[in-house]
Amino acid sequence: MTQPYKKKLIEVAIPLEAINAASAREKSIRHGHPSTLHLWWARRPLAACRAVLFAQLVDDPSSHPDQFPTHEDQERERQRLFAIIEDLVKWENSTNEEVLERARAEIRRSCGGVLPPVYDPFSGGGSIPLEAQRLGLPAYGSDLNPVAVMIGKAMIEIPPKFKDMPPIHPGIKDRSFYRNAEGLAEDVKYYGEWMREKAWARIGHLYPQVDLPKEYGGGKGTVVAWIWARTVPSPDPAFADVDVPLVRSFQLSDTAWVEPIVDGKNYSFRVRTGGLPNAGKLDGTVSRQGGRCLVSNSAMPLNYIRETARKRGLGQKLMAVVVEGTRGRVFISPTPEMEKAAFLSKPKWLPEELVTTPSHEVDRLPMYGMTTWGAAFTDRQATALTTFVDVAKELKAQIANDLRSHGDLGAVDPTEYSNAIRVYLSCAIDRCADAWSTIATWATSGFIRFTFARQAIAMTWDFAECNVFSTSTGNFGGAVDWVVKALSELPALGMGSLKQADARFAVLPKASCLSTDPPYYDNIGYADLSDYFYVWLKRSVGDIYPEVFSTIAVPKSDELVAMPHRHKNRRAAEDYFLNGMSEAFANIAGQLDHSLPATVYYAFKQSEVSEEGLTSSGWATFLEAIISSGLSVVGTWPVRTERAGRTISVGTNALATSVVLVCRKKEASAEVITRAEFIRALKRELPPAIGELQAANIAPADMPQSAIGPGMGVFSRYKAVLESDDSPMTVKAALQLINRELDEYLGGIQGEFDADTRFAITWFEQNGLKAGDYGTANNIANARGISVESVKHAGIVESAAGKVRILKRDELDAEWEPDADGHLTVWECCQHLVRLHEKYGIGYEAAVMLKKFGSKADDVRDLAYVLYNICEKRGDAKEATAYNALIADWTDLTREAATAPLTNRSGQMRFEV
């Protein structure tokens, strides 16, 4: 089938290892990373977005046979483009104009001398539009969620308006030259400090210093945090008038803890230091199963706690105070005065919007009587938040005065500039809201865990209230600093626009390139979660963007996720998701440029593989929506965000892959074929495609997702594939056939191995590393033309007392040399290489061993694929990880082996000529 378009690099090959390594590394980068501007859930790594956009727009060398006539010529050019991507994905190069301009030049060369616009109709945390802008591409995005829209405006729409502008504040300037948004960032920092001073004048009395005990040097100390316990009336009728504490743990640090002291109906808390009692076990009064009353020791069932909380609400009791003293940070016992300070002021305003229920992300709050978002904050926390919001609104007059003193900046609109600064300081206030709630807890390592420690709001018992005016964990100045660092690093290039829109009705810019990261079936209810920030943003900047904040809460009914609590049941939720996503992509597909492929991300959780294989409901439903919209899937690339050595965790959600689907508009002349014709096409086209993926060293853990690309490419290029009853084949059925062909391909590889290795594979598949019956083993061996003795002679198995067992890697001869083995097998080569790789990584030992294999090296790699597949199906995560890690490092090992000097048995080096 001839292609009416030029193939792009992403449709043929990408340097997946480099992209994955950079994406994983990015998770540990905090200061200056755009994600620290404002919390958003499940962001895609910027490195991956940048690489995908580049590969999506740059021509593959095969599209230019006049310039690259041979396979070798094309491969050399591909490697040159890979080198650009490898530089591009490094975090250090995200602001390197030389590297970025090199990438832009390649895009221009492939796109007729222009940089095409990029559109993301599910912009979310804004990673894709931001990286499009970094590459110099006009960046457009939209999202139904107002919080996502504001994040996008803050990242890509506002900074270019004030690019390279110096700050306007009257204080001392940080530097003489400002690039990108650095001047704006400095103003945000200055006016953030201005806000802090104004707020301190109004509510500073709520945050008094405390007296330090003599053992800590005496004098006054600044509170870092107050640690509270929630309370409920005792369930014992004799103590019903006593509000007893709900405490998860009494431990404060490695050397400090809270000791509850009970005296009849009264109790108090005293901070103790020194070695922790009870071998460090300082369990509190409540757990997931329920609790016990501190004063009567009677049981407090969880249902009692919930019912009481819903009827009366939860109280709070001060347990300990964290203080910054002259001798460092200390924990001190609470006093009545410290507790009273928290209730000196009632907030002028509280968010009365209801917490959505029932939703598995946030329903913990209503279960405990916190039915509105305002109930998640103490009086002092809510007073602080509303005060900072009110002060931010007073910035307009101050900024107008400061602008007037700058004659050279007279063209800057004071309202627009003050609004911009308010947006960023509102992001800082939202960061504070994340820290200043009764969901935030104290970590024994010495910091406050914020409300969103994970992608949900969990109920907490004891909680930490930070001092907003301190210089320690969770304070307002720190929140501003995080925002300033992120803003300073934003590209602030060219055109950028974010708007609120439903993807089903979005209008794309002309000739735009689509790259998007849609909601993932039922993984996260973004709308439910983001209400937490929406209520504060609306009060902060709702007057600036009234069209974005026109609703009481974040729109939910039109959110494209499969949430059963919004529909009659799970099936209805799935139908809604499928129909809505199909409408969205049909709308988008009708506006796409034929010359450019589209890329769509899907968050593939490992549990989806282990529970349902690659035919899981979420995955199949998502693919069905894409294909029914008129798009054809021509490639899939698994982008991982974990280290290569930890790429499998069977049965958990800990390790996720973002599968990038590469799509083209389906040809109008697409045919209808039968199931048999589809299977024949799969058998013809899938094996060579898998072979190319293996040659590119796609990790075994990634192979199933990668193989879906060419497989779905066959399925989705046809108008329909008809089953024997003339009904159209479902995507789920097609995925099952693709998986079957992959298994057959990996099984077929085994036929190319030596007989002893083929025996070992079968035996390992049936028994793992456990012993089995000799007679069964001999039958398997005879079927391969050998005997068990042959496999034993090869050094693969142990055979004794009627039992046969495969030798473990640590039982193999550490002095083994392949060139001295008179009965060499691929199995031995593979196991010895894995042993050395596990011990030394990509080092001299493993590289030299690989070099000694010579022509058997490719067989060793193929065997690692086969064994990973067996381990993954057996649920043996430890073994699977070993084989996967070897393949993930194969390119580096091969590179090391090419230059590694060989040694003989005496240890003398020899070099190949």
Side-chain angles (χ1 to χ4, degrees):
M1 182 177 177
T2 58
Q3 302 290 352
Y5 51 81
K6 291 186 296 183
K7 271 195 174 184
K8 298 297 180 178
L9 184 63
I10 201 166
E11 296 175 89
V12 179
I14 56 174
L16 201 54
E17 291 172 69
I19 296 169
N20 286 344
S23 297
R25 181 177 170 239
E26 193 178 304
K27 293 185 74 176
S28 62
I29 295 167
R30 300 291 291 156
H31 289 281
H33 195 281
S35 64
T36 62
L37 189 69
H38 194 289
L39 176 68
W40 188 256
W41 304 272
R43 290 176 188 262
R44 291 309 101 214
L46 304 181
C49 297
R50 200 154 59 241
V52 166
L53 283 167
F54 176 85
Q56 184 177 352
L57 294 170
V58 170
D59 294 343
D60 183 73
S62 63
S63 295
H64 299 279
D66 53 330
Q67 299 177 45
F68 311 105
T70 68
H71 175 77
E72 291 72 23
D73 292 334
Q74 292 172 14
E75 192 55 36
R76 272 193 297 272
E77 174 63 6
R78 236 171 250 130
Q79 292 304 317
R80 185 186 73 81
L81 295 173
F82 283 6
I84 294 174
I85 294 176
E86 287 164 5
D87 282 340
L88 193 62
V89 295
K90 293 176 182 174
W91 173 253
E92 298 78 14
N93 290 336
S94 60
T95 56
N96 186 322
E97 274 301 309
E98 183 182 346
V99 171
L100 293 169
E101 188 51 44
R102 198 183 316 146
R104 293 168 194 147
E106 290 295 336
I107 295 172
R108 288 191 195 96
R109 192 168 70 157
S110 294
C111 297
V114 300
L115 295 170
V118 171
Y119 185 73
D120 179 1
F122 298 99
S123 59
S127 294
I128 292 171
L130 178 68
E131 293 314 301
Q133 192 175 65
R134 198 185 303 277
L135 289 171
L137 307 164
Y140 298 89
S142 61
D143 203 291
L144 184 64
N145 191 309
V147 177
V149 173
M150 291 309 304
I151 293 172
K153 286 182 179 294
M155 289 206 305
I156 75 155
E157 187 174 298
I158 296 173
K161 296 178 180 178
F162 309 104
K163 181 178 174 61
D164 300 339
M165 188 181 115
I168 61 116
H169 69 79
I172 299 171
K173 306 299 189 288
D174 285 349
R175 60 190 73 124
S176 58
F177 173 75
Y178 294 86
R179 65 180 183 87
N180 299 338
E182 289 174 343
L184 175 60
E186 189 176 316
D187 274 339
V188 171
K189 181 179 181 180
Y190 176 87
Y191 290 108
E193 292 170 357
W194 180 89
M195 277 178 59
R196 185 184 182 280
E197 291 175 8
K198 292 287 185 182
W200 171 258
R202 298 178 192 184
I203 59 171
H205 64 284
L206 300 179
Y207 298 87
Q209 287 191 313
V210 296
D211 295 320
L212 285 168
K214 290 182 180 179
E215 63 264 30
Y216 295 127
K220 295 288 186 179
T222 299
V223 175
V224 171
W226 295 268
I227 301 175
W228 299 85
R230 299 189 196 274
T231 63
V232 293
S234 171
D236 189 324
F239 296 88
D241 56 335
V242 182
D243 285 348
V244 294
L246 303 170
V247 181
R248 177 185 54 86
S249 171
F250 285 112
Q251 185 175 349
L252 299 173
S253 71
D254 291 340
T255 58
W257 74 97
V258 174
E259 179 185 34
I261 300 170
V262 180
D263 181 15
K265 284 190 173 185
N266 299 315
Y267 67 91
S268 60
F269 296 114
R270 182 172 62 187
V271 171
R272 302 286 300 274
T273 58
L276 298 180
N278 304 324
K281 291 198 69 170
L282 291 162
D283 293 342
T285 63
V286 69
S287 67
R288 291 181 179 179
Q289 287 72 44
R292 64 177 178 84
C293 172
L294 182 68
V295 294
S296 69
N297 207 34
S298 55
M300 286 195 296
L302 204 55
N303 285 341
Y304 166 80
I305 296 173
R306 289 173 175 170
E307 184 180 351
T308 306
R310 286 194 293 267
K311 287 180 178 178
R312 295 186 41 176
L314 294 166
Q316 62 188 77
K317 177 80 172 173
L318 189 60
M319 287 202 305
V321 183
V322 191
V323 184
E324 204 70 61
T326 55
R327 300 178 185 176
R329 182 176 293 180
V330 296
F331 299 92
I332 65 174
S333 302
T335 66
E337 290 73 27
M338 295 176 191
E339 190 163 83
K340 288 176 184 175
F343 304 99
L344 291 176
S345 177
K346 290 287 183 183
K348 293 185 296 182
W349 175 85
L350 272 176
E352 296 298 328
E353 289 81 358
L354 294 176
V355 176
T356 307
T357 185
S359 164
H360 63 283
E361 283 93 6
V362 296
D363 64 356
R364 296 293 173 190
L365 301 189
M367 287 169 66
Y368 294 93
M370 291 184 275
T371 56
T372 67
W373 289 112
F377 305 92
T378 66
D379 287 348
R380 183 160 53 186
Q381 288 172 333
T383 298
L385 285 168
T386 53
T387 299
F388 277 101
V389 168
D390 292 344
V391 171
K393 292 181 178 180
E394 298 169 14
L395 279 169
K396 183 176 179 180
Q398 182 66 37
I399 290 173
N401 288 333
D402 293 341
L403 261 174
R404 275 194 292 272
S405 67
H406 273 271
D408 56 336
L409 294 176
V412 177
D413 183 288
T415 299
E416 189 173 27
Y417 197 62
S418 64
N419 286 348
I421 291 174
R422 268 178 63 191
V423 166
Y424 294 108
L425 289 172
S426 295
C427 289
I429 292 171
D430 266 16
R431 285 189 63 91
C432 292
D434 196 9
W436 305 351
S437 86
T438 62
I439 307 301
T441 57
W442 182 257
T444 55
S445 50
F447 65 93
I448 291 177
R449 291 191 199 91
F450 287 9
T451 304
F452 287 96
R454 57 190 181 91
Q455 294 171 354
I457 299 179
M459 181 59 186
T460 57
W461 304 114
D462 45 285
F463 63 90
E465 180 191 6
C466 79
N467 181 347
V468 306
F469 295 107
S470 73
T471 56
S472 297
T473 176
N475 74 89
F476 177 74
V480 173
D481 285 343
W482 281 104
V483 170
V484 166
K485 287 184 175 75
L487 177 56
S488 298
E489 297 296 324
L490 293 177
L493 282 173
M495 172 64 73
S497 175
L498 250 293
K499 61 183 179 181
Q500 188 178 23
D502 188 325
R504 288 171 286 194
F505 312 107
V507 178
L508 277 63
K510 189 176 180 182
S512 59
C513 167
L514 178 84
S515 186
T516 190
D517 180 19
Y520 305 125
Y521 191 54
D522 62 350
N523 289 3
I524 300 172
Y526 300 90
D528 292 331
L529 291 176
S530 52
D531 266 346
Y532 181 89
F533 294 113
Y534 180 85
V535 294
W536 296 107
L537 274 177
K538 183 177 182 178
R539 186 167 176 85
S540 297
V541 293
D543 58 321
I544 302 175
Y545 299 99
E547 71 287 353
V548 177
F549 295 96
S550 61
T551 52
I552 294 174
V554 173
K556 296 176 181 63
S557 60
D558 291 330
E559 185 183 27
L560 288 179
V561 288
M563 291 293 170
H565 72 277
R566 294 186 196 156
H567 305 276
K568 293 179 180 178
N569 50 47
R570 177 160 292 279
R571 178 58 187 272
E574 183 176 309
D575 289 344
Y576 170 79
F577 176 81
L578 174 59
N579 295 334
M581 203 59 76
S582 298
E583 286 178 37
F585 278 103
N587 170 51
I588 293 163
Q591 302 177 65
L592 286 181
D593 188 329
H594 275 282
S595 66
L596 297 172
T599 52
V600 183
Y601 292 73
Y602 178 83
F604 210 114
K605 292 190 295 187
Q606 187 62 47
S607 64
E608 291 187 79
V609 181
S610 53
E611 291 170 11
E612 301 182 66
L614 291 176
T615 60
S616 70
S617 298
W619 178 228
T621 304
F622 188 77
L623 279 174
E624 189 83 59
I626 297 286
I627 293 169
S628 65
S629 72
L631 292 173
S632 174
V633 178
V634 297
T636 48
W637 298 105
V639 177
R640 291 184 170 266
T641 56
E642 299 292 335
R643 297 190 303 276
R646 295 183 65 244
T647 49
I648 179 171
S649 182
V650 175
T652 76
N653 289 343
L655 307 176
T657 300
S658 289
V659 178
V660 179
L661 291 87
V662 185
C663 305
R664 287 277 189 179
K665 294 183 75 168
K666 191 176 295 186
E667 295 296 318
S669 58
E671 303 172 332
V672 175
I673 63 168
T674 64
R675 176 188 177 93
E677 290 172 317
F678 172 56
I679 292 173
R680 283 197 293 273
L682 275 183
K683 290 185 178 298
R684 182 173 62 251
E685 298 182 37
L686 202 53
I690 296 172
E692 289 179 12
L693 291 170
Q694 281 186 302
N697 298 322
I698 296 294
D702 294 331
M703 182 59 78
Q705 291 97 322
S706 299
I708 287 170
M712 290 308 299
V714 175
F715 177 76
S716 61
R717 72 169 174 243
Y718 294 104
K719 187 175 181 180
V721 176
L722 299 182
E723 298 280 15
S724 56
D725 62 355
D726 286 341
S727 64
M729 179 181 287
T730 64
V731 167
K732 194 161 189 171
L735 285 171
Q736 290 169 341
L737 291 173
I738 293 166
N739 294 335
R740 189 179 74 183
E741 290 302 318
L742 175 61
D743 287 343
E744 286 186 13
Y745 174 85
L746 293 175
I749 292 176
Q750 299 181 29
E752 301 173 13
F753 300 141
D754 56 84
D756 298 284
T757 296
R758 284 186 280 120
F759 165 87
I761 292 170
T762 304
W763 190 252
F764 180 70
E765 194 168 15
Q766 293 180 5
N767 300 281
L769 298 174
K770 296 178 181 178
D773 183 67
Y774 178 89
T776 304
N778 204 43
N779 289 337
I780 294 171
N782 290 340
R784 284 149 184 77
I786 56 173
S787 65
V788 171
E789 288 305 307
S790 169
V791 189
K792 183 178 179 181
H793 181 261
I796 295 175
V797 302
E798 174 189 75
S799 174
K803 295 291 182 180
V804 174
R805 178 179 65 85
I806 285 181
L807 293 173
K808 298 176 182 177
R809 281 190 291 279
D810 58 8
E811 296 176 301
L812 299 176
D813 181 7
E815 302 299 318
W816 178 84
E817 292 285 342
D819 52 3
D821 191 333
H823 193 159
L824 189 64
T825 65
V826 175
W827 181 274
E828 287 175 284
C829 293
C830 184
Q831 298 306 324
H832 279 288
L833 185 60
V834 171
R835 175 177 60 82
L836 292 174
H837 182 257
E838 284 183 311
K839 188 173 182 180
Y840 301 108
I842 308 168
Y844 170 78
E845 293 81 1
V848 167
M849 182 63 74
L850 179 60
K851 187 168 191 170
K852 290 176 180 178
F853 294 160
S855 61
K856 285 189 179 292
D858 286 346
D859 290 338
V860 171
R861 183 188 61 190
D862 288 346
L863 178 58
Y865 275 105
V866 171
L867 293 178
Y868 170 86
N869 199 42
I870 292 171
C871 293
E872 198 265 346
K873 289 180 178 178
R874 289 173 57 88
D876 189 345
K878 185 178 179 182
E879 275 293 288
T881 299
Y883 298 117
N884 190 75
L886 177 66
I887 300 300
D889 288 342
W890 193 266
T891 298
D892 291 333
L893 270 177
T894 304
R895 192 180 298 119
E896 290 291 321
T899 57
L902 297 174
T903 58
N904 58 25
R905 285 184 165 246
S906 67
Q908 294 177 314
M909 290 190 177
R910 59 186 175 87
F911 292 87
E912 291 186 338
V913 180

